[in-house]
Amino acid sequence: DSIVKLDVKENLPETKKAPLSFLPEQITESAYRFRCPGPGLFRCTLTGLVFGMAQEAELLYRTVQWDESLLQSAGKTAAGPLFKIKCSEDAAVCQLHLQHCETKDALLIDGLMSVAHITDDGMSILEPLEITDTHVVVKVPHLSAFGLLWDFVKRFLNISLPINGQVLLFLRPPYTSHQVLDVFLLQDNIPVHEVAVQQGGAEFIRISSDCHLSFGQSYCVHCDPEGFTIQPERVAFRSKYGPNFFPTFEVFLTTNSEKVTLMVQDQDRKEVWKRDVYLVQASPSCSSTPPVRG
């Protein structure tokens, strides 16, 4: 059996300082590079990853696709992107902090989250050193692929507990008589720019995106003024971490629409997100780009 448990309860020296944020060099759409200048905690503003470094070293990391057969055999399901990490110096990375999307109530569930450590030999399960309001912290045995996991039974016995979600909007280039506003409902630990690079010429609309979403709950989108076509009418929210991201809803607008009010409701007609959205098409030279993670 390739699924083994690694004892990583031995704590490293605790770092009380906030991590230093950095904007990595993007090698490809989902691959990044950064040279850490020395020991300390360094937070990637594009992915939310935090690296605990013992020394100066160059990091190379990218998102890769999960192997569902490995997850199912372990009774786990993906709770975040899977990152393949390399470093110029062996043992330079001593800790990883992976961003989760759980609310505080879910953090009280013992054994809910762990971290997959995937090598050519299979998958090992790393137990957290610490779980903060935003990240799961693990000790790094050696570098390969790392990703956040949910215990399948424990998470879905508590399916009523919402997760921190995000509503992303992309406005497609206008057609002769209409334009399409794509609406994405996603977990908030999915990197925004990795969604954006798959949207072709669509313009990302910068807007406050935070909301709470529940797995299995059905959601719909309403638009004011009324009369625009919205498809589908309703969708059940499911966990998804790529590699492909498609719109949850499509709103078909007239080309002269300058402002709409969008609202997302759950199956009990409770409002979970509502914003005024301005639709003035930016020129290619000043089109909006996805935000970094603060």
Side-chain angles (χ1 to χ4, degrees):
D1 191 349
S2 63
I3 308 303
V4 296
K5 287 248 183 174
L6 297 184
D7 184 8
V8 293
K9 293 295 185 182
E10 178 186 351
N11 272 311
L12 300 171
E14 192 172 356
T15 304
K16 294 295 184 184
K17 292 183 179 179
L20 296 173
S21 294
F22 67 89
L23 182 64
E25 174 191 355
Q26 282 190 257
I27 303 170
T28 67
E29 293 175 351
S30 59
Y32 315 92
R33 176 164 49 207
F34 178 71
R35 187 162 193 90
C36 294
L41 293 177
F42 299 88
R43 184 177 188 274
C44 173
T45 56
L46 293 183
T47 63
L49 271 177
V50 178
F51 299 90
M53 304 296 294
Q55 65 183 79
E56 178 182 354
E58 184 175 87
L59 296 167
L60 294 170
Y61 52 104
R62 60 189 174 95
T63 53
V64 294
Q65 188 170 355
W66 283 99
D67 183 339
E68 289 296 330
S69 63
L70 280 179
L71 299 179
Q72 291 173 9
S73 63
K76 305 290 185 181
T77 188
L82 180 63
F83 296 97
K84 189 167 186 177
I85 303 171
K86 296 180 180 180
C87 186
S88 61
E89 303 292 336
D90 292 339
V93 182
C94 53
Q95 276 189 357
L96 271 181
H97 303 214
L98 293 106
Q99 185 174 344
H100 65 73
C101 62
E102 290 290 5
T103 58
K104 289 187 176 181
D105 287 342
L107 298 182
L108 301 175
I109 304 170
D110 186 50
L112 176 65
M113 290 185 289
S114 56
V115 172
H117 178 223
I118 301 175
T119 67
D120 293 339
D121 297 324
M123 182 171 75
S124 303
I125 307 297
L126 305 180
E127 297 301 332
L129 294 173
E130 180 185 6
I131 299 178
T132 71
D133 287 348
T134 58
H135 287 74
V136 175
V137 183
V138 291
K139 182 180 176 181
V140 175
H142 56 84
L143 290 176
S144 56
F146 294 84
L148 197 59
L149 299 173
W150 278 307
D151 180 280
F152 183 84
V153 173
K154 289 183 179 180
R155 186 60 185 91
F156 291 97
L157 282 176
N158 295 277
I159 198 169
S160 61
L161 291 177
I163 56 101
N164 292 313
Q166 57 184 337
V167 179
L168 303 182
L169 304 179
F170 292 87
L171 185 64
R172 297 186 205 170
Y175 296 92
T176 303
S177 60
H178 72 280
Q179 55 188 341
V180 180
L181 181 63
D182 291 326
V183 182
F184 293 74
L185 304 187
L186 298 167
Q187 302 95 310
D188 81 342
N189 61 345
I190 291 178
V192 175
H193 73 283
E194 294 203 2
V195 180
V197 296
Q198 297 183 15
Q199 306 314 311
E203 178 193 2
F204 174 70
I205 297 179
R206 295 176 64 93
I207 198 165
S208 53
S209 62
D210 293 348
C211 64
H212 286 159
L213 301 169
S214 295
F215 295 125
Q217 180 84 248
S218 181
Y219 293 92
C220 62
V221 166
H222 294 275
C223 184
D224 185 24
E226 298 179 348
F228 297 128
T229 299
I230 301 173
Q231 65 181 25
E233 292 184 3
R234 187 169 291 276
V235 171
F237 180 67
R238 299 191 303 273
S239 176
K240 45 189 174 291
Y241 284 100
N244 298 314
F245 296 99
F246 298 102
T248 312
F249 298 96
E250 297 168 305
V251 183
F252 292 83
L253 307 164
T254 56
T255 53
N256 60 355
S257 301
E258 294 184 357
K259 173 192 169 185
V260 296
T261 299
L262 282 186
M263 179 172 60
V264 178
Q265 288 184 331
D266 66 16
Q267 60 199 32
D268 298 319
R269 297 182 179 274
K270 179 181 176 183
E271 176 186 305
V272 298
W273 183 88
K274 183 179 180 179
R275 299 292 189 275
D276 291 333
V277 181
Y278 290 87
L279 302 170
V280 177
Q281 187 80 18
S283 66
S285 61
C286 61
S287 59
S288 186
T289 55
V292 297
R293 292 167 176 254

